[in-house]
């Protein structure tokens, strides 16, 4: 409850649940929470034997708001007996106020259940207000599976995600850092746009035990420096006890 999550990205991830109630890539159950500038690239797989909620971003959402968020996911859910609400972004909201603004989902959805409410953006929309939301109509044709109000979302083709159109409509890119031993750049997880490569900004120098750390991208890189020891103790032959050099 009451979480505020901002500037968080999750990539190349896998989440699974058996007999789940709430299953989501970012959060299973969000209540009185706010998400801003967050994105996820993941596969979510769930098998249920009672009613359940599965979403690429959040499984079940109540009184929560989402601003400038994106999901690129595969959601697979099955239920042998009862009902499912499945969405590429949110599985289901419930009867409390909530808001989605500048939100998009590119979702591959596979569902098997007796009764389902499925949408590329949200499976079951209960009283949530949508403003400037999009979904990939080529991957799943329905944006909102069921709704208690007149909320609408816009379906666009996959090319709108890959050519930067969706990013432009949402007001910006969803970047992740890519780095090598000397440089880093940012790459959009939606359209692949890349920034100009820059040299690492070293804030922690390499030692015999730790690699150098860049203060900008946060990655460790380069080689160990066996002239910089983390211990002042040496053996009788003059070799450091911390690394043997």
């Amino acid at each position: 409850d009451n979480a505020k999550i901002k500037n968080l990205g999750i990539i190349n991830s896998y989440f699974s649940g058996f007999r789940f109630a709430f299953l989501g890539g970012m959060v299973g159950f969000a209540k009185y929470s706010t998400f801003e500038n967050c994105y996820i690239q993941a596969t979510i797989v769930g098998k249920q034997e009672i009613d359940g909620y599965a979403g690429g971003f959040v499984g079940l959402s109540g009184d929560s708001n989402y601003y400038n968020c994106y999901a690129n996911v595969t959601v697979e859910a099955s239920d042998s007996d009862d009902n499912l609400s499945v969405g590429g972004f949110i599985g289901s909201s419930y009867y409390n106020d909530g808001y989605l603004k500048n939100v998009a989902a590119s979702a591959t959805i596979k569902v098997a259940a007796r009764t389902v409410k499925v949408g590329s953006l949200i499976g079951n929309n209960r009283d949530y207000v949508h403003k400037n939301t999009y979904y990939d109509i080529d991957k799943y044709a329905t944006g909102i599976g069921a709704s208690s109000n007149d909320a609408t979302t816009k379906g666009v083709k996959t090319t709108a995600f890959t050519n930067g159109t969706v990013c432009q409509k949402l007001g910006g890119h969803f970047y992740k850092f890519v780095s090598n031993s000397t440089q880093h750049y940012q790459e959009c997880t939606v359209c692949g746009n890349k920034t100009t490569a820059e040299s690492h900004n070293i804030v922690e120098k390499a030692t015999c035990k730790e690699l150098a750390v860049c203060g900008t991208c946060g990655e460790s890189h380069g080689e160990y420096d066996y002239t910089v020891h983390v211990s002042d103790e040496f053996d009788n032959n003059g070799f450091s006890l911390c690394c043997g050099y």
Side-chain angles (χ1 to χ4, degrees):
D1 292 0
N2 298 299
K4 293 184 179 179
I5 300 177
K6 186 175 181 179
N7 301 327
L8 175 64
I10 299 175
I11 61 174
N12 302 327
S13 296
Y14 180 90
F15 303 91
S16 65
F18 178 67
R19 294 182 177 175
F20 66 91
F22 320 113
L23 179 62
M26 186 73 68
V27 175
F29 180 19
K31 188 176 181 181
Y32 307 123
S33 299
T34 299
F35 300 83
E36 184 176 356
N37 298 327
C38 297
Y39 66 85
I40 184 166
Q41 292 178 313
T43 296
I44 296 92
V45 178
K47 184 176 181 181
Q48 181 59 305
E49 294 181 357
I50 57 173
D51 294 358
Y53 309 92
F57 199 92
V58 170
L60 181 64
S61 178
D63 277 316
S64 296
N65 301 312
Y66 305 83
Y67 304 99
N68 303 98
C69 293
Y70 168 68
N72 181 1
V73 294
T74 295
V75 182
E76 300 180 9
S78 61
D79 189 327
S80 59
D81 296 318
D82 293 294
N83 307 320
L84 287 177
S85 293
V86 180
F89 193 79
I90 295 174
S92 179
S93 59
Y94 59 88
Y95 292 105
N96 299 90
D97 293 335
Y99 194 59
L100 283 78
K101 181 179 180 181
N102 298 337
V103 169
S106 178
T108 299
I109 300 176
K110 303 175 182 178
V111 178
R114 186 177 65 183
T115 304
V116 294
K117 296 173 182 174
V118 184
S120 185
L121 188 73
I122 180 168
N124 190 17
N125 186 72
R126 298 176 178 176
D127 294 348
Y128 270 37
V129 176
H130 295 238
K131 184 176 181 180
N132 200 40
T133 63
Y134 303 88
Y135 68 97
D136 190 330
I137 198 170
D138 289 335
K139 289 187 176 180
Y140 199 84
T142 303
I144 300 175
S147 185
S148 62
N149 60 14
D150 59 355
T152 59
T153 184
K154 185 173 182 180
V156 296
K157 290 184 173 296
T158 300
T159 53
F161 284 84
T162 58
N163 67 15
T165 299
V166 169
C167 290
Q168 184 179 17
K169 291 180 179 295
L170 297 182
H173 295 286
F174 294 82
Y175 282 121
K176 65 178 179 180
F177 275 105
V178 179
S179 65
N180 57 30
S181 61
T182 60
Q183 294 179 317
H184 60 248
Y185 62 88
Q186 295 184 76
E187 182 177 5
C188 180
T189 58
V190 182
C191 68
N193 180 73
K194 297 178 181 179
T195 62
T196 302
E198 299 177 342
S199 298
H200 288 304
N201 171 33
I202 305 302
V203 293
E204 296 181 25
K205 294 184 178 180
T207 68
C208 64
K209 288 292 187 179
E210 302 289 340
L211 298 176
V213 176
C214 174
T216 303
C217 68
E219 294 292 331
S220 301
H221 61 86
E223 299 179 352
Y224 295 102
D225 187 345
Y226 293 105
T227 67
V228 180
H229 301 291
V230 297
S231 171
D232 294 330
E233 298 184 44
F234 296 86
D235 63 19
N236 294 332
N237 296 316
F239 294 107
S240 171
L241 294 181
C242 59
C243 64
Y245 286 87

